[in-house]
């Protein structure tokens, strides 16, 4: 009996939040302690399980910076002695320290819930809360962003058990434990790879949407009617640098070279494939809907479960995996409120149906070549699960490790099998001379381009990039200016422009993007354009606007 192969990839992604000596947002640290560390540690419990972890280099850089002493604003507020908190500090704590998934991360804890309920009367709290109340908030917000496996550490377990009336020494111990947990993320992934349990892959350095960096007109392939920026952004050299430098940073941190790349948001195009080919990468992946759009009427149900090889004649083919959209999103969005047993039974049942479908339509021998890719973010969904997803993941990993009809594999191993080599050289059915440009979100690029705010940001980036090419500075200044450009090319800034998404921190993404472009003008001693002096993000009503107003980035004269 041949098993159905399953390739699971957890994508670890954070944009570059640092401005000067501080990280403006705490998500590298908080997701590192709550999600990245635990996800890797849990893997050790299942020695026969093969998983892949994709790490964005900008995340690796920031993990390094935390170890070197860089902190974030939330960490600075948490570490400050309660008796030294100013009125502004307290106002910010009320704004920031209940920012979590309340059902799973706040309501289960009596003292944290009590403090939150009191905080709804802001004026009363500001006037009446004791130093002990403020300290308990500092501790509880830090505690709740601790993964369930890490909570079993004796020092942390004792703090959870204590529940309230924390001392400053309790808080120092908690923060010290968090630093140690955060420091463990990279070594743990490195060890999982060393012993053969994990494959490690990489993304471009600052997480840009490569097809749009290469040519913003690539957005028209999926949506010809999409309004584009006034200026066409075309920087294939930047795209190549983001890939090559990203691979270098990855190797420096993880002591191995990446064979595969999950391009930011699964965004691919023919020109992007050329960049990956030049970098020597062997495989990449995107969503199954991109394959459907590429193949059109020639698409057969089940084609998404076979590796396709992109490459015109005399060009080295690159393996392309197409993630199962429904199964990946079931973990990301559907199973959060299910009982772990029911969710795993549903997931395995869907895989069993895929296996039967493939055998019925193509014969059992096709399972030697077939693989079901499951690809999703490794941090964002778990706070919606019971116990940060631990019961679900344990049940899922146990089922996948014991079911004889299923086999977990690494992407690189699929590409390196004899069957795959034969497929790459002989089977026209799974060769792609063209790939319709698209991402894993709706198989297009609408999330990052096409609305007024998004297009204004692209035009501002274009103007700053044009300045770098048009004027001369010395080599060291040019390198600094380009670093700001590369950071500004990241996907997350464009993600938050427009009306697609809402979040309390949304205005800060606009602040960080404009900060980096302003720095380019300062290096070249040029007047900073008005578009960078005021928010591009005009729709700032609602949650988050207060925080942005308190912490607007002001450049020194």
């Amino acid at each position: 009996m041949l098993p159905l192969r399953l390739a699971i990839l957890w994508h670890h992604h954070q944009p570059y939040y640092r401005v000067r000596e501080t990280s403006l947002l705490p998500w590298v640290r908080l997701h590192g302690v709550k999600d990245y560390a635990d996800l890797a540690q849990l893997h050790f419990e299942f020695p026969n399980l093969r998983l892949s972890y994709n790490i964005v280099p900008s995340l690796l850089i920031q993990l390094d910076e935390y170890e070197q002493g860089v902190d974030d604003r939330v960490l600075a507020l948490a570490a400050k002695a309660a008796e030294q908190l100013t009125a502004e500090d307290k106002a910010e704590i009320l704004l920031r320290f209940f920012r979590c998934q309340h059902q799973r991360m706040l309501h289960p804890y009596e003292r944290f819930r009590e403090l939150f309920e009191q905080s709804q009367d802001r004026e009363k709290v500001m006037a009446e809360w004791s130093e002990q109340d403020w300290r308990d908030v500092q501790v509880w917000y830090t505690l709740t962003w601790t993964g369930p496996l890490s909570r079993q550490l004796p020092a942390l377990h004792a703090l959870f058990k204590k529940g309230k009336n924390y001392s400053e020494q309790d808080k120092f111990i908690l923060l010290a434990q968090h630093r140690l947990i955060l420091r463990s993320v990279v070594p743990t992934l490195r060890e999982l790879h060393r012993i053969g349990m994990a494959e490690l892959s990489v993304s471009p350095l600052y997480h840009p949407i490569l097809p749009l960096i290469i040519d913003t007109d690539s957005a028209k392939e999926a949506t010809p009617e999409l309004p584009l920026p006034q200026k066409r952004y075309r920087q294939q050299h930047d795209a190549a640098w983001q890939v090559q430098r990203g691979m270098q940073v990855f190797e420096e941190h993880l002591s191995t070279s990446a064979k595969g790349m999950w391009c930011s948001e699964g965004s691919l195009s023919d020109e992007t494939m050329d960049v990956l080919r030049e970098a020597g990468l062997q495989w990449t992946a995107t969503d199954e809907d991109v394959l459907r759009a590429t193949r059109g009427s020639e698409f057969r149900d089940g084609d998404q479960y076979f590796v396709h090889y992109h490459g015109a004649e005399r060009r080295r083919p690159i393996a392309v995996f197409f993630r199962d959209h429904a199964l990946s999103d079931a973990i990301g969005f559907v199973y959060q409120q299910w009982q772990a047993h029911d969710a795993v039974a549903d997931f395995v049942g869907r895989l069993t149906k895929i296996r039967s479908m493939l055998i019925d339509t193509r014969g059992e021998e096709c399972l030697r070549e077939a693989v079901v890719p499951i690809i999703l973010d490794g941090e964002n969904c778990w706070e919606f699960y019971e116990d940060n997803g631990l019961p679900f993941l344990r049940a899922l990993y146990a089922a996948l490790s014991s079911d004889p009809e299923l086999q977990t594999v690494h992407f690189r191993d699929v590409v390196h099998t004899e069957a795959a080599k034969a497929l790459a050289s002989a089977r026209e059915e799974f060769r792609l001379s063209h790939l319709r440009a698209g991402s894993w979100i709706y198989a297009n690029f609408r999330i990052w381009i096409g609305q007024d705010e998004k297009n204004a940001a692209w035009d501002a980036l274009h103007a700053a990039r044009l300045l770098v090419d048009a004027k001369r500075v010395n080599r060291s200044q040019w390198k600094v200016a380009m670093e700001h450009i590369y950071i500004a090319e990241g996907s997350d800034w464009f993600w938050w422009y427009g009306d697609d998404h809402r979040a309390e921190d949304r205005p800060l993404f606009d602040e960080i993007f404009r900060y980096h472009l302003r720095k380019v003008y300062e290096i070249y001693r040029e007047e900073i354009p008005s578009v960078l002096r005021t928010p591009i993000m005009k729709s700032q009503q609602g949650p988050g606007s207060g925080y942005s107003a308190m912490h607007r980035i002001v450049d020194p004269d």
Side-chain angles (χ1 to χ4, degrees):
M1 180 181 66
L2 293 175
L4 175 66
R5 296 183 300 176
L6 178 67
I8 299 176
L9 182 147
W10 301 118
H11 173 53
H12 294 346
H13 156 226
Q14 296 294 332
Y16 191 71
Y17 297 118
R18 181 179 173 184
V19 170
R20 300 193 192 92
E21 299 308 313
T22 259
S23 180
L24 293 191
L25 290 166
W27 307 122
V28 166
R29 177 177 59 88
L30 296 183
H31 281 299
V33 173
K34 185 176 76 71
D35 303 305
Y36 303 141
D38 268 30
L39 200 60
Q41 283 293 340
L42 179 63
H43 192 173
F44 284 114
E45 297 181 21
F46 301 91
N48 296 323
L49 189 72
R50 300 294 174 260
L51 298 173
S52 299
Y53 302 86
N54 188 85
I55 306 102
V56 178
S58 58
L59 170 60
L60 294 171
I61 292 170
Q62 290 175 97
L63 289 172
D64 252 3
E65 290 175 345
Y66 272 104
E67 189 161 351
Q68 293 161 9
V70 172
D71 65 5
D72 58 71
R73 179 61 182 161
V74 171
L75 177 58
L77 283 170
K80 195 169 185 178
E83 63 270 17
Q84 296 177 4
L85 292 172
T86 65
E88 183 181 13
D89 293 334
K90 293 175 180 179
E92 190 175 351
I93 285 173
L94 292 177
L95 199 63
R96 298 285 292 175
F97 279 50
F98 299 105
R99 193 168 295 177
C100 59
Q101 209 283 335
H102 284 192
Q103 178 189 358
R104 303 295 193 187
M105 298 174 66
L106 186 148
H107 292 314
Y109 309 111
E110 181 180 357
R111 175 59 169 159
F112 199 21
R113 184 176 67 250
E114 174 189 56
L115 291 165
F116 170 70
E117 291 168 353
Q118 293 175 9
S119 75
Q120 302 309 290
D121 188 341
R122 185 175 178 277
E123 289 186 9
K124 184 176 181 181
V125 160
M126 291 291 287
E128 298 182 7
W129 262 11
S130 66
E131 290 177 3
Q132 187 64 65
D133 292 324
W134 291 107
R135 188 181 300 113
D136 281 2
V137 170
Q138 290 173 308
V139 170
W140 262 112
Y141 188 67
T142 309
L143 278 176
T144 202
W145 282 94
T146 307
L149 291 180
S150 297
R151 293 179 186 199
Q152 297 172 21
L153 294 168
L156 295 180
H157 178 74
L159 291 175
F160 273 97
K161 188 175 180 180
K162 185 172 184 178
K164 61 182 178 179
N165 297 327
Y166 295 108
S167 66
E168 287 296 324
Q169 187 65 18
D170 288 334
K171 190 170 67 178
F172 295 153
I173 289 170
L174 171 59
L175 293 173
Q177 290 287 306
H178 266 216
R179 281 192 290 271
L180 291 171
I181 295 166
L182 193 64
R183 196 177 298 166
S184 75
V185 171
V186 170
T188 304
L189 289 170
R190 193 187 299 126
E191 283 303 302
L192 284 168
H193 174 267
R194 187 185 66 81
I195 62 178
M197 292 175 64
E199 176 179 10
L200 305 179
S201 61
V202 68
S203 291
L205 181 60
Y206 288 115
H207 206 262
I209 304 297
L210 289 181
L212 297 181
I213 299 300
I214 294 169
D215 187 351
T216 44
D217 275 13
S218 66
K220 290 184 176 180
E221 287 191 38
T223 48
E225 77 286 358
L226 191 69
L228 294 184
Q230 295 180 24
K231 301 296 183 180
R232 186 176 178 181
Y233 200 78
R234 286 187 289 183
Q235 295 294 339
Q236 183 159 341
H237 182 273
D238 289 10
W241 186 91
Q242 295 263 16
V243 168
Q244 292 163 3
R245 180 59 185 149
M247 292 173 68
Q248 291 170 0
V249 170
F250 175 93
E251 186 167 356
E252 290 165 2
H253 285 77
L254 293 160
S255 304
T256 186
S257 59
K259 308 303 181 193
M261 174 170 284
W262 171 252
C263 289
S264 316
E265 310 288 359
S267 298
L268 294 177
S269 64
D270 286 335
E271 294 77 13
T272 300
M273 297 301 293
D274 288 338
V275 170
L276 304 188
R277 186 175 288 107
E278 287 297 315
L281 289 154
Q282 298 175 1
W283 66 263
T284 188
T286 186
D287 192 79
E288 63 179 87
D289 286 344
V290 174
L291 180 63
R292 284 189 173 87
T294 299
R295 298 289 296 273
S297 60
E298 296 180 359
F299 179 85
R300 293 171 57 200
D301 190 31
D303 282 352
Q304 68 270 34
Y305 302 127
F306 294 87
V307 183
H308 287 59
Y309 290 84
H310 181 280
E313 189 177 355
R314 292 189 298 276
R315 288 189 175 186
R316 180 180 61 82
I318 297 181
V320 186
F321 293 82
F322 296 93
R323 78 166 191 146
D324 186 297
H325 191 106
L327 280 172
S328 301
D329 281 3
I331 296 175
F333 306 105
V334 177
Y335 294 146
Q336 299 164 354
Q337 302 299 326
W338 291 34
Q339 292 295 317
H341 177 272
D342 295 336
V344 171
D346 181 80
F347 189 83
V348 172
R350 295 195 202 190
L351 289 171
T352 301
K353 287 179 181 178
I354 292 170
R355 183 177 182 275
S356 297
M357 178 272 292
L358 290 172
I359 292 173
D360 291 344
T361 58
R362 303 172 191 241
E364 186 172 1
E365 282 298 305
C366 81
L367 296 180
R368 298 187 187 278
E369 299 173 356
V371 60
V372 180
I374 307 294
I375 303 172
L376 67 154
D377 288 343
E379 67 276 308
N380 291 326
C381 67
W382 304 123
E383 58 212 61
F384 297 91
Y385 277 77
E386 177 192 357
D387 208 11
N388 206 52
L390 185 61
F392 168 76
L393 285 169
R394 274 204 173 119
L396 176 65
Y397 288 177
L400 296 180
S401 298
S402 60
D403 193 323
E405 292 189 350
L406 302 174
Q407 179 188 12
T408 55
V409 295
H410 295 145
F411 292 79
R412 67 180 182 216
D413 293 337
V414 174
V415 174
H416 289 162
T417 62
E418 291 304 315
K421 292 176 184 176
L423 187 67
S425 60
R427 293 279 289 280
E428 287 300 318
E429 180 183 2
F430 299 121
R431 290 185 69 84
L432 295 172
S433 59
H434 166 66
L435 186 67
R436 210 291 312 274
S439 74
W440 69 345
I441 303 179
Y442 311 125
N444 61 41
F445 301 117
R446 283 183 178 272
I447 292 294
W448 304 278
I449 197 168
Q451 294 185 30
D452 289 346
E453 288 181 4
K454 300 176 193 289
N455 290 347
W458 279 105
D459 283 332
L461 175 62
H462 180 278
R465 185 67 181 82
L466 195 65
L467 174 63
V468 173
D469 283 343
K471 291 194 68 175
R472 288 185 178 276
V473 290
N474 65 48
R475 177 69 178 176
S476 62
Q477 289 174 311
W478 177 86
K479 288 179 69 175
V480 173
M482 281 305 302
E483 198 72 19
H484 287 293
I485 291 288
Y486 296 137
I487 294 170
E489 288 177 339
S491 69
D492 292 81
W493 327 122
F494 302 96
W495 171 280
W496 291 106
Y497 286 123
D499 59 8
D500 302 290
H501 304 104
R502 286 290 179 267
E504 291 162 306
D505 287 324
R506 182 171 167 262
L508 270 181
F509 286 85
D510 177 38
E511 291 285 344
I512 296 170
F513 174 77
R514 291 184 295 109
Y515 165 80
H516 286 291
L517 295 188
R518 289 198 301 268
K519 298 305 290 184
V520 174
Y521 285 88
E522 290 175 9
I523 289 168
Y524 282 83
R525 300 181 182 276
E526 290 287 323
E527 182 178 354
I528 296 172
S530 59
V531 69
L532 300 180
R533 292 187 176 276
T534 58
I536 294 172
M537 197 176 286
K538 304 302 181 186
S539 51
Q540 296 195 47
Q541 297 82 12
S545 56
Y547 179 73
S548 183
M550 289 165 57
H551 294 282
R552 189 165 304 284
I553 303 167
V554 179
D555 292 311
D557 293 330

